[in-house]
Amino acid sequence: MIEIKELFKNFGRNQVLNGVSLNIEKGETIVILGRSGCGKSVLLKHIIGLMRPDSGQIFIDEEEVTSYSNDKLYDLRKRFGMLFQGSALFDSMTVEENVGLGLTEHTHLGREKIKEIVKEKLRLVGMSGVENLRPAELSGGMKKRVGLARAIAMNPEFVLYDEPTTGLDPIMADVINELIIRLRDTLSITSIAVTHDIVSAYKIADRIAMLYEGKIIFAGTPEETKNTTDPVVKQFIEGSSEGPIPTLE
Amino acid sequence: MPRNENPLRVIGGKTTLFFEMAGEFAILIKNILLGLPVSIKKFHLTVEQMLFMGVNSLPLIMITSIFTGGVASVQAAYMFSDYVPMRYLGTAVGKSVILELGPVLTALVVAGRVGAAIAAELGTMKVTEQIDALETLALDPVKYLVAPRFISGLIMLPVLTIFSDFIAILGGLLVSTLFLNVSSFTFLNGLKLFFRMSDVWAGLLKAFVFGGIIALVGCYMGFRTEGGAEGVGRSTTRAVVMASVMILITDYILASFLFGS
Ligand SMILES: Nc1ncnc2c1ncn2[C@@H]1O[C@H](COP(=O)(O)OP(=O)(O)O)[C@@H](O)[C@H]1O
Ligand SMILES: [Mg+2]
């Protein structure tokens, strides 16, 4: 279980997180909705310890991790996988080396065993047979899937998805949605996805939260989200330019 | 965004930035040293960088060195004119190449080739979140990216400088025999006359320090990259300019320590 308590973060004069509080239950898939630039990536990076908050705490299984030393953070990260918005595959490595990197560096498994695991993970995301290709040879959707294989290579307890469907065609987006659902069902992973793709959110989420002006202003089931009376959430899920959300910066 | 900035504030800002950078450099070096056991275990990463540095810079170093040696000969002969006998030509060329021209020119060439490449590569990794990805895989970018480049710089710059010294002296020898009427026997005798091994060490010590500077500045600028492809271009230019300036300043500091009274 992950508890986020009163998280604040600013970059210079830009107050990005303004007291974010949210609980994430074991085994659930939570989708955090928000407009572009509202701090979704920043929030994910706090959860995995890539950024440290100005104030506030994050507890993982009752342990406060925001004050962890760097060494402890590195250990903690082994329990996480993260799929980046642009996949962030290592250009200088093949697909196989990308997916197997964590295993090569953190385990004592032999080369053959790692090859086998990589193959299995690639099969899981429907990307068998691309082991020897380089990221530059893959399409956007293929990169996402390889990135996902890399994220789950070490059997993490938590997987963070940064806009998993953004920039993909609707069919590929749905393939990724299905994969996220399958991973939760087969590997019982706790998933945290941030996105502005409302269709994807309805499809994969057990719970939907909304990040707005640096705070979580709403959290509920997809059903509750659909029937919400909150004007901001309502405007966002309807994708309307009319409403309380300012459209001019 | 053109802003009407108070010049004092600009100077203040730059000064703060300088100290901030100095601090970050110190932290970077500390982290490299802390990660040294890992770097030694993963020496293949360093070897990869050494090959890259060598292969990338050797052709250019050969060309610049042979001409630099030639120029050193011509200029020394001109300055000697009738006052200093030509048997000291080899001495002058040898000393200036070994102490100054070899290390500094090699460093400037490598800063332009390799320093820029490091900043561009790491900068691209930064803006495409590959550095973050490395961290989420619980791998420390300092150990995996910075340390191999830093160690490689420390080793390869002296190696390349030795090459450069030989070729520059060869260039000086060629010019003096072909165009200056100084026989190779005279030139080489002059070279031997005041040759001191300590000069070679001094030159290589400079090269060693310059190698560290080039790698560190390249990595530092790469890590600081913000703002897409344009940002990568900016970091690359900055890395070359900053490394070059730092090389020349450090050259002076080292020279005053090594040869000052
Ligand atoms: N490392 C950083 N330094 C300065 N500002 C940042 C940094 N990362 C993000 N920001 C700023 O924080 C805000 C939120 O960014 P982000 O979390 O990437 O948005 P999104 O919701 O689209 O993922 C933006 O205004 C962005 O400019
Ligand atoms: Mg984002």
Side-chain angles (χ1 to χ4, degrees), chain A residues 40-41 85 162-163:
Chain A
K40 301 187 296 293
S41 299
Q85 192 170 345
D162 193 350
E163 309 209 11

Side-chain angles (χ1 to χ4, degrees), chain A:
Chain A
M1 167 152 162
I2 300 176
E3 290 164 88
I4 302 166
K5 284 198 178 140
E6 286 293 308
L7 220 54
F8 284 81
K9 178 73 175 180
N10 70 299
F11 298 103
R13 250 171 273 164
N14 183 5
Q15 188 73 44
V16 179
L17 302 184
N18 210 353
V20 170
S21 296
L22 185 67
N23 286 353
I24 297 156
E25 303 296 333
K26 206 141 216 130
E28 77 169 339
T29 297
I30 185 161
V31 173
I32 300 167
L33 289 173
R35 297 183 70 194
S36 289
C38 77
K40 301 187 296 293
S41 299
V42 169
L43 179 57
L44 281 189
K45 285 177 184 176
H46 277 86
I47 296 176
I48 201 168
L50 288 174
M51 288 180 178
R52 289 188 193 266
D54 299 333
S55 69
Q57 289 120 15
I58 296 173
F59 295 85
I60 294 177
D61 294 339
E62 255 106 81
E63 252 203 78
E64 206 229 319
V65 300
T66 16
S67 56
Y68 266 16
S69 67
N70 275 336
D71 285 341
K72 281 185 93 176
L73 266 183
Y74 277 120
D75 274 335
L76 176 72
R77 288 190 192 130
K78 291 178 192 163
R79 298 166 60 190
F80 280 85
M82 179 155 176
L83 176 60
F84 287 86
Q85 192 170 345
S87 304
L89 298 178
F90 303 116
D91 293 326
S92 58
M93 298 181 184
T94 63
V95 166
E96 180 169 0
E97 288 165 339
N98 261 286
V99 178
L101 185 64
L103 294 164
T104 315
E105 298 297 330
H106 295 305
T107 68
H108 296 289
L109 298 173
R111 196 169 290 215
E112 285 309 310
K113 182 70 191 158
I114 291 176
K115 239 183 157 79
E116 207 175 287
I117 298 175
V118 169
K119 203 171 166 165
E120 164 63 19
K121 300 293 176 189
L122 284 174
R123 194 189 56 73
L124 214 59
V125 298
M127 287 292 290
S128 294
V130 298
E131 280 89 340
N132 295 317
L133 296 184
R134 299 224 164 228
E137 299 171 90
L138 304 176
S139 72
M142 292 161 91
K143 278 188 198 166
K144 282 263 157 112
R145 286 192 273 173
V146 172
L148 190 48
R150 182 176 71 185
I152 58 171
M154 304 267 291
N155 297 326
E157 296 163 51
F158 311 95
V159 178
L160 311 183
Y161 300 90
D162 193 350
E163 309 209 11
T165 56
T166 303
L168 301 178
D169 67 67
I171 296 170
M172 185 52 69
D174 201 52
V175 171
I176 300 288
N177 287 336
E178 290 291 344
L179 274 174
I180 295 174
I181 295 169
R182 176 135 51 102
L183 291 181
R184 178 197 51 194
D185 292 347
T186 56
L187 307 175
S188 56
I189 288 172
T190 306
S191 305
I192 306 162
V194 303
T195 187
H196 55 239
D197 178 351
I198 187 81
V199 179
S200 166
Y202 282 145
K203 176 142 192 180
I204 65 177
D206 298 316
R207 223 147 50 89
I208 293 176
M210 177 142 178
L211 180 62
Y212 181 71
E213 291 183 336
K215 287 192 178 77
I216 297 289
I217 56 158
F218 170 88
T221 63
E223 206 52 42
E224 287 164 356
T225 312
K226 265 176 212 161
N227 301 326
T228 181
T229 51
D230 184 307
V232 173
V233 181
K234 211 169 153 85
Q235 185 190 349
F236 189 90
I237 60 178
E238 285 169 0
S240 166
S241 61
E242 305 277 315
I245 302 178
T247 48
L248 291 174
E249 301 293 307

